[in-house]
Amino acid sequence: MHETGVVLTDIRKSFGSLEVIHGIDLRIAEGSFVVFVGPSGCGKSTLLRMIAGLEEVTDGEIEIKGRNVTDLDPSDRGIAMVFQSYALYPHMSVRENLAFGLKMARTETAEIEARVKAASAILKIDHLLDRRPGQLSGGQRQRVAIGRAIVRKPDVFLFDEPLSNLDAELRVSMRIEIARLHRELGNTMIYVTHDQTEAMTLADKIVVLRDGRIEQAGTPREVYENPANIFVAGFIGSPRMNLLDAVWLGNGRVRVAGSEMSVPVTGEGLQIGEKVSFGARPEHLFVTDGGAGCIPAKVDFAEYLGGTQYLYCQLADGQPLIAEYRSGPEINAGSTIALSVNDNQRRLFGADGRRLT
Amino acid sequence: MTLSKMNRSNMSLSSRRRARKAFRAESTYHATGVAIALFFLAPFAITLLASFRHGTEARLPPLPPWPANGISLDSYRSLDTFGAGVWQHTFNSLLVSLATVALTVAVSVLAGYGFSRYRFPLKNVLFVLIIATLMIPFQSILTPLFIILARLGLNNSLFGLTLVYVTLQLPFSVFMMRNAFDAVPKEIEEAARIDGARDLKLLFRVLMPLVLPGIATVAIFAFLNAWNEFLAALVLLSSNEKYTLPVLMMAVRAGRLGAVNWGAVQAGVAVMTLPCLVVFLLLQRYYMRGLMAGAVK
Ligand SMILES: Nc1ncnc2c1ncn2[C@@H]1O[C@H](COP(=O)(O)OP(=O)(O)OP(=O)(O)O)[C@@H](O)[C@H]1O
Ligand SMILES: [Mg+2]
């Protein structure tokens, strides 16, 4: 058994003279579920397609299960891919769609039949086997696309935003289905998504990308609770973390919007008076009746969502801030409140964006 | 009880009225369709019927156009006395047209695929250049073509004529096939590559069925153009037994000793029309889709 399912070593990719992936190193444990997230155009798809072999790497090496596959054909890498657009063969029945890859590999007919049967049973598409893709709903098509991946018995499953063409309800149920599939099959899975919830719920490891570089790789809890930098802090979590201009006062204290408060930071190398950013997630802010270390804020606008309420506030120095408010006396727009956040949920970032500890 | 009965009768009344309305709309629709179809079919029918008139009848004014004194094959028999016989010329035409179709489809599928999917230097310049040749009237290059074929030893050969037809047909066909391949989502091809389909297998097993409408369109155009082409055939072919049907028809239409055998002309037109109809009816379903695909992309 190999410890590592997929190893990327200094992967680079250029389109013409434009480099879009700038040296990515990543080790993916066998059997783990890794999710690539990042803003549009950051290179998630490109990276996934390089692992699939659909895009040549400009530089670097890709290993799958201890085998260097950098120059191998997509079909020889032990991977299977599920596309956002399903990419089923429209002129073949579902059965032929599932069997096509095996036929190409000259698998025996009996074996093909057994695998198609097993895969369609797992995905509950047995009754659709004789239909054409055009006669299926979006959700059914995506199941077939996943089935086509399963029958190949790949070492690694690759998903490129597989659920983004589905409506919200179906997306939730397919998400749960994919999680179940991962539990049952135990293969390595690499998954690209825009959806925070998909990333947080599915991943063993989240890889946050920006402009062709890894900003942070870690468990969902790590990237949420201990973001390595301002970018990750702002990207993970919804609504995004409040990042407020602050001034370092030394001795573990900062001034934010005119109020002083302590932060769990040693402040090594920081000059007194240096500008920093103070981070606090909306869901960690709470309303107090004043006291030390709280920030006064004027509520501009309150968004009522039933279970919770988002308060869009303005601080004394004009900076905007969002706070989540779960229960208590009603707060209306125009009122002034005092907000605070627990000591261990206060984050501080240096001027270069790095998290300070 | 009475209420529900009344309701039911009411409903049946209104539904009957609706049915009658739908029937009237439908019959208008079909009547119009039939009228249009008759309008377009009439010339074909008149020619076909007239070609079965007796030899003596054939020289009379074509009214009524159908055989009045029973059906006869006189016209076809006299058509057969022209040139090297109508079978020979039909065979020539079929050979040239089918070979043109086969070569055009083969080349344009590969070229269209290449232009659609591969990146290579000067790709767009090359493509525009190919399309630009559509603007050259082919009569103007007939002389150079003749000289080239003569140098190649291909003058007065059906193969040489086929090559000329393929050349003339290619710009449009390559354009058509590139559009057809462009309309195939890239992901389908990538999925097939992951599934292990490479090169020709990929082309034949996965992509060809998806561009079939484009292929049908290209095939129909190639067939019809090669089948009906006259000028190049007249210029490039010099011996009697090599002539294609349009050249034969010219001879028939010119008549002998000043007398035109109209019966033979009608028979010739019938012979020339039939394969076009067959090809079109066979491929029309794909052809329509092919034009659509080209239109939206
Ligand atoms: N074939 C190509 N030619 C040139 N540039 C490309 C090509 N494919 C991708 N790029 C560029 O590479 C960068 C990364 O693209 P990629 O598709 O990987 O982004 P992404 O993270 O998947 O974005 P999205 O979330 O919108 O899908 C983009 O700047 C894009 O413009
Ligand atoms: Mg993408």
Side-chain angles (χ1 to χ4, degrees), chain A residues 171-236:
Chain A
R171 205 179 308 173
V172 173
S173 68
M174 282 303 286
R175 190 178 79 210
I176 293 167
E177 191 109 340
I178 289 177
R180 176 178 69 92
L181 212 61
H182 180 238
R183 223 174 30 242
E184 281 175 19
L185 301 175
N187 302 45
T188 311
M189 294 191 176
I190 306 179
Y191 190 103
V192 169
T193 183
H194 269 118
D195 188 308
Q196 294 259 345
T197 325
E198 277 173 34
M200 294 303 268
T201 54
L202 288 172
D204 296 324
K205 182 173 180 173
I206 291 184
V207 177
V208 184
L209 293 162
R210 175 169 65 155
D211 290 341
R213 290 194 178 83
I214 294 182
E215 292 288 324
Q216 188 175 2
T219 63
R221 187 175 287 276
E222 275 166 9
V223 292
Y224 177 79
E225 290 184 356
N226 294 311
N229 53 44
I230 273 197
F231 174 78
V232 176
F235 192 80
I236 300 287

Side-chain angles (χ1 to χ4, degrees), chain B residues 9-285:
Chain B
S9 72
N10 249 350
M11 241 162 61
S12 72
L13 200 73
S14 75
S15 78
R16 224 179 301 151
R17 205 174 298 149
R18 218 176 304 132
R20 210 176 311 145
K21 206 168 162 192
F23 175 74
R24 218 174 303 146
E26 205 142 290
S27 13
T28 320
Y29 174 77
H30 285 294
T32 316
V34 167
I36 293 175
L38 282 180
F39 183 73
F40 280 97
L41 284 176
F44 291 112
I46 289 172
T47 306
L48 198 65
L49 288 172
S51 72
F52 288 114
R53 305 209 298 185
H54 267 298
T56 46
E57 232 180 308
R59 294 199 187 86
L60 300 175
L63 278 175
W66 51 82
N69 302 330
I71 289 172
S72 108
L73 292 178
D74 284 355
S75 303
Y76 290 89
R77 258 178 237 119
S78 69
L79 177 68
D80 202 26
T81 62
F82 286 89
V86 72
W87 287 115
Q88 176 65 43
H89 297 296
T90 308
F91 173 78
N92 289 349
S93 266
L94 273 178
L95 191 70
V96 169
S97 305
L98 293 178
T100 302
V101 168
L103 271 177
T104 304
V105 166
V107 175
S108 65
V109 162
L110 293 174
Y113 181 63
F115 274 117
S116 166
R117 287 297 198 264
Y118 289 95
R119 265 176 277 174
F120 51 87
L122 293 183
K123 166 167 137 172
N124 286 325
V125 176
L126 212 61
F127 190 68
V128 169
L129 221 63
I130 290 179
I131 300 302
T133 58
L134 278 173
M135 291 189 287
I136 302 173
F138 113 93
Q139 290 83 349
S140 69
I141 56 167
L142 211 51
T143 316
L145 270 180
F146 183 82
I147 295 170
I148 293 173
L149 283 187
R151 286 276 161 81
L152 291 172
L154 286 174
N155 53 342
N156 191 28
S157 98
L158 291 178
F159 181 59
L161 189 64
T162 303
L163 289 185
V164 171
Y165 288 167
V166 172
T167 311
L168 296 178
Q169 208 51 46
L170 273 181
F172 164 78
S173 305
V174 170
F175 176 72
M176 194 70 214
M177 287 319 297
R178 182 195 179 157
N179 273 353
F181 278 111
D182 277 348
V184 175
K186 227 172 124 204
E187 286 88 357
I188 290 186
E189 196 179 326
E190 293 174 342
R193 274 172 64 199
I194 290 177
D195 270 344
R198 245 172 278 177
D199 308 325
L200 287 182
K201 233 185 219 168
L202 174 70
L203 193 58
F204 284 111
R205 298 285 300 269
V206 179
L207 297 177
M208 285 273 261
L210 301 179
V211 295
L212 212 54
I215 292 179
T217 309
V218 164
I220 288 183
F221 272 78
F223 185 88
L224 293 186
N225 285 344
W227 181 263
N228 290 325
E229 207 286 332
F230 168 68
L231 189 59
L234 183 72
V235 172
L236 298 175
L237 301 175
S238 47
S239 57
N240 199 6
E241 80 282 355
K242 293 255 169 82
Y243 285 158
T244 53
L245 278 177
V247 183
L248 173 76
M249 283 311 293
M250 191 59 196
V252 175
R253 172 66 183 73
R256 282 187 185 128
L257 309 170
V260 178
N261 185 338
W262 288 108
V265 172
Q266 302 284 28
V269 169
V271 168
M272 281 210 63
T273 310
L274 205 64
C276 299
L277 280 180
V278 171
V279 166
F280 199 80
L281 290 180
L282 277 180
L283 298 181
Q284 57 143 355
R285 178 186 310 223

